[in-house]
Amino acid sequence: MTWFSPGDVADRTGLSLDTLRYYEREGLIGPVRRDSGGRRLYSGGDLAWLGVVTCLRRSGMGIADLRRFVGVVRGGAPASTEPVEMLRLHRSRLVEDIEHIRVALSVIDGKIAHYERAGARSA
Amino acid sequence: MTWFSPGDVADRTGLSLDTLRYYEREGLIGPVRRDSGGRRLYSGGDLAWLGVVTCLRRSGMGIADLRRFVGVVRGGAPASTEPVEMLRLHRSRLVEDIEHIRVALSVIDGKIAHYERAGARSA
DNA sequence: CCTTGATCTAGAGTGCGCTCAAGGTTGAAT
DNA sequence: ATTCAACCTTGAGCGCACTCTAGATCAAGG
């Protein structure tokens, strides 16, 4: 089994060491193994899981939701349908977000075109 | 010309009165006209502009960028290409955001499917 | 042995985008 | 004349997600 140092994991995930420790404190990952000196050793599984976490995080899921999500995944089958509801809710937010971004894109493209014409005139 | 009270504008835009005042303080809108008693009167143009602002805001553009954007739009043609650069930068961030959200959607859909199967088994 | 660099902990600080509190004014309605 | 809701200002407070500080510890290299 391969283990990864905090520095390695920071490099691979793009997260800072502080953020890694923060996520652990918040229960988003771990408990992370330690070596005899108390240093963290991340497993390949930890790394993969961090991939999922950062993906959801980047999509705007908050720490609290993420923690609940993690609890469900690591606790095995969900006791209720509530966690799935949470996912569905986040999913629908994401669909909305995409739509908002699309609208913003068209506004921005309009402005860019406008200023490009202005720039061409004044140049 | 039609004028709108703060309450009206809050209703129409979905922004709170506090947020409207905050945006004004931050230079995102106005100077907003006042009546004899010092109350704000928003014009149709203010309302339309607020539409653009909220659209960009929802897409994740920060207050500082928005302020620069506003300065450019209200100052006429841009003196340099810098504001257009800012828009392009935000645009490329938005394209990335959409991609991130898409990835998150597929992760979420996978998890939802997983827990639906689990739920069906345990039911 | 001593230095160096990576890591550790606890806890305070930061930046952003609002949001709320307190106390005062306005103007339409009763 | 009084009441009431809507509005005003200043300034403090909040929630989130980090981020930084300070001081200690550890493992390896010279």
Side-chain angles (χ1 to χ4, degrees), chain A residues 34-55:
Chain A
R34 304 296 184 110
D35 67 14
S36 55
R39 265 99 169 201
R40 270 164 265 252
L41 289 174
Y42 295 85
S43 70
D46 287 336
L47 219 46
W49 177 244
L50 274 167
V52 174
V53 167
T54 54
C55 153

Side-chain angles (χ1 to χ4, degrees), chain B residues 1-121:
Chain B
M1 188 126 183
T2 339
W3 300 94
F4 303 88
S5 74
D8 273 354
V9 176
D11 288 347
R12 283 165 191 261
T13 60
L15 300 171
S16 74
L17 293 170
D18 274 328
T19 299
L20 286 171
R21 288 190 281 255
Y22 170 67
Y23 283 1
E24 193 179 338
R25 268 202 306 284
E26 295 297 317
L28 267 47
I29 53 169
V32 175
R33 196 152 304 182
R34 304 297 183 108
D35 68 13
S36 56
R39 266 103 166 197
R40 270 165 265 254
L41 289 174
Y42 295 86
S43 70
D46 289 334
L47 219 45
W49 177 245
L50 275 168
V52 174
V53 167
T54 55
C55 152
L56 292 174
R57 190 64 202 88
R58 264 197 299 260
S59 82
M61 186 179 282
I63 300 295
D65 276 356
L66 226 13
R67 180 168 38 225
R68 287 195 288 150
F69 174 69
V70 171
V72 170
V73 171
R74 312 180 81 249
S80 72
T81 59
E82 176 239 323
V84 178
E85 281 316 300
M86 193 258 283
L87 287 180
R88 272 195 223 290
L89 185 61
H90 187 64
R91 188 187 196 288
S92 65
R93 271 199 292 260
L94 294 188
V95 172
E96 269 179 32
D97 288 349
I98 286 186
E99 193 45 38
H100 286 153
I101 293 175
R102 265 196 231 296
V103 174
L105 274 177
S106 76
V107 169
I108 287 172
D109 286 344
K111 294 295 176 186
I112 287 177
H114 173 76
Y115 285 115
E116 254 164 10
R117 280 197 302 277
R121 271 206 305 278

